Amino acid sequence: MTRPIQAIIHPAALVNNLLVARQAAPTAKLMSVVKANGYGHGLLRVARALEESDGFAVLNVEEAVRMREAGFTQPILLLEGVFQSGELSIVSELGLSIVVHCAEQIEMLKRAWSPVKLNVFLKLNTGMHRLGFAPESFPSALAALQACAIVGQITLMTHFASADEAAGVGDQLAHFNTLTINCTLPRSLANSAACLRYPETHGDWVRPGIMLYGASPFATQRAADLGLESAMSLVSEIISIQNVKAGAPVGYGGTYRAERDMRIGIVACGYADGYPRHAETGTPILVMGQRTRTLGRVSMDMLAVDLGDIPDAGVACPVTMWGVGLPVEEVARAAGTISYELLCARAERVPVVEG
């Protein structure tokens, strides 16, 4: 018998979420971020649903190759640029765009040859201190790229650290605008949160990511309130019923003890499937479409749920870990993590179907 767990991907939700991004930033081009195997949804499956995007952003050459081989002709941006000079020949052949965030990458471009000009996104570090040229290095980096024989269009780029939080984008945006005040080059700044909340950041390209998958980038705002729809439902079934006495331990370490005589359902889903092991008792879950809670520690292949208020639940009853009816960001918050991690952590052993 096939294990009942599966991830249901909803292409119509992806299409809807792209439309929300388009409406939020109507004057900018949309570069849909599909890295990390389309945030766990499947790279090509997501790209096909988002085919109306003006461009795509991926992590590495391998992802870009797969997309070109599948027939996608839009601009494709390598978000960390190239890691070795040998990759530039593939970039040239496939017409990719690359982020340039360090002096070593500029040196690679200076030494390389290409029959066509390469489009680059010059990344500025405006305060996140992750990737990008420091303010004092920006003028020389820009001049070096402008003088480089194989460089074509240059787009200026940064990334916001707190667009989804109360701190907002003000300081970083001010740094960016001060640094680039005399530049007329195209600009790309906005992630999902900035796309939705800060129209002054939209520039020429916005880079929506998590919102495309139906999760809210904001801790205080639900996805549905933003018009977003869940693009992945992680579902399974109850495979066993346990009747436990008050005070009996449940799961490894007995971290939960029954508060009363209880019916407990055992679900075919665990941390080896991508469900967070650190999800504590009380993490929300749906059984037969009704909200209940997890109990005790998550095992490798199973987890326990409270069936006290769902008397009709039994073996083979459907369970939703997150997705339609239960926002992934709510589960993530209860588990002390973020929706990005849960979506990207879907294990390869979990079958994927479209629905």
Side-chain angles (χ1 to χ4, degrees):
M1 183 171 116
T2 302
R3 191 162 175 262
I5 190 170
Q6 61 183 359
I8 304 174
I9 307 301
H10 311 290
L14 291 161
V15 173
N16 170 79
N17 300 336
L18 182 67
L19 178 60
V20 173
R22 183 80 71 185
Q23 292 170 337
T27 62
K29 295 180 181 179
L30 295 185
M31 181 171 288
S32 296
V33 181
V34 295
K35 63 179 179 176
N37 193 29
Y39 285 46
H41 295 62
L43 174 64
L44 297 183
R45 181 181 300 107
V46 167
R48 291 186 186 105
L50 301 178
E51 62 182 355
E52 295 302 316
S53 302
D54 301 299
F56 294 97
V58 299
L59 180 67
N60 54 38
V61 165
E62 290 76 15
E63 291 173 329
V65 168
R66 289 184 62 199
M67 292 190 66
R68 285 287 188 250
E69 289 179 344
F72 291 95
T73 59
Q74 295 98 323
I76 298 177
L77 176 66
L78 303 183
L79 284 168
E80 293 181 4
V82 295
F83 301 96
Q84 301 173 4
S85 58
E87 292 178 320
L88 288 172
S89 61
I90 303 175
V91 169
S92 174
E93 179 184 353
L94 299 182
L96 307 178
S97 301
I98 57 173
V99 167
V100 173
H101 61 78
C102 64
E104 289 77 7
Q105 290 175 326
I106 292 179
E107 290 303 313
M108 290 182 198
L109 289 168
K110 287 180 178 179
R111 295 191 300 265
W113 177 86
S114 171
V116 296
K117 300 279 190 179
L118 307 183
N119 294 332
V120 304
F121 281 57
L122 175 59
K123 191 161 193 176
L124 286 69
N125 173 13
T126 57
M128 189 168 183
H129 302 299
R130 194 174 63 174
L131 295 179
F133 289 90
E136 61 271 17
S137 302
F138 164 66
S140 60
L142 176 58
L145 288 176
Q146 290 174 324
C148 189
I150 69 169
V151 170
Q153 177 67 63
I154 299 173
T155 299
L156 303 180
M157 175 187 189
T158 196
H159 192 67
F160 295 123
S162 302
D164 57 333
E165 299 177 357
V169 303
D171 288 345
Q172 283 190 261
L173 181 60
H175 284 314
F176 184 89
N177 288 339
T178 298
L179 283 169
T180 62
I181 191 169
N182 294 318
C183 296
T184 59
L185 296 171
R187 301 170 180 225
S188 177
L189 297 86
N191 55 8
S192 290
C195 182
L196 290 166
R197 186 169 284 179
Y198 300 105
E200 65 271 27
T201 69
H202 289 170
D204 298 277
W205 286 95
V206 293
R207 307 187 306 273
I210 193 64
M211 67 178 293
L212 298 177
Y213 305 95
S216 172
F218 308 113
T220 58
Q221 200 166 8
R222 299 186 308 170
D225 294 336
L226 297 168
L228 303 173
E229 300 175 1
S230 295
M232 176 197 291
S233 294
L234 184 65
V235 301
S236 188
E237 295 178 2
I238 292 174
I239 60 172
S240 175
I241 300 291
Q242 297 293 320
N243 294 291
V244 300
K245 296 294 185 181
V250 176
Y252 282 117
T255 59
Y256 173 78
R257 290 184 176 270
E259 301 150 32
R260 59 191 181 281
D261 291 355
M262 298 178 70
R263 288 181 77 239
I264 292 175
I266 306 302
V267 181
C269 177
Y271 60 78
D273 300 300
Y275 196 86
R277 183 183 181 277
H278 47 277
E280 296 183 351
T281 292
T283 299
I285 196 166
L286 300 181
V287 175
M288 299 175 63
Q290 299 178 63
R291 189 184 184 94
T292 184
R293 58 176 179 154
T294 64
L295 300 173
R297 285 183 182 162
V298 175
S299 300
M300 182 181 290
D301 310 307
M302 291 171 279
L303 57 83
V305 297
D306 184 354
L307 299 180
D309 294 328
I310 314 176
D312 295 334
V315 170
C317 283
V319 178
T320 299
M321 273 62 70
W322 63 70
V324 176
L326 182 59
V328 65
E329 63 265 27
E330 186 177 350
V331 178
R333 186 161 52 249
T337 184
I338 56 176
S339 55
Y340 302 73
E341 181 179 7
L342 298 191
L343 297 175
C344 293
R346 178 190 61 81
E348 284 300 310
R349 77 178 194 175
V350 177
V352 178
V353 299
E354 292 190 6

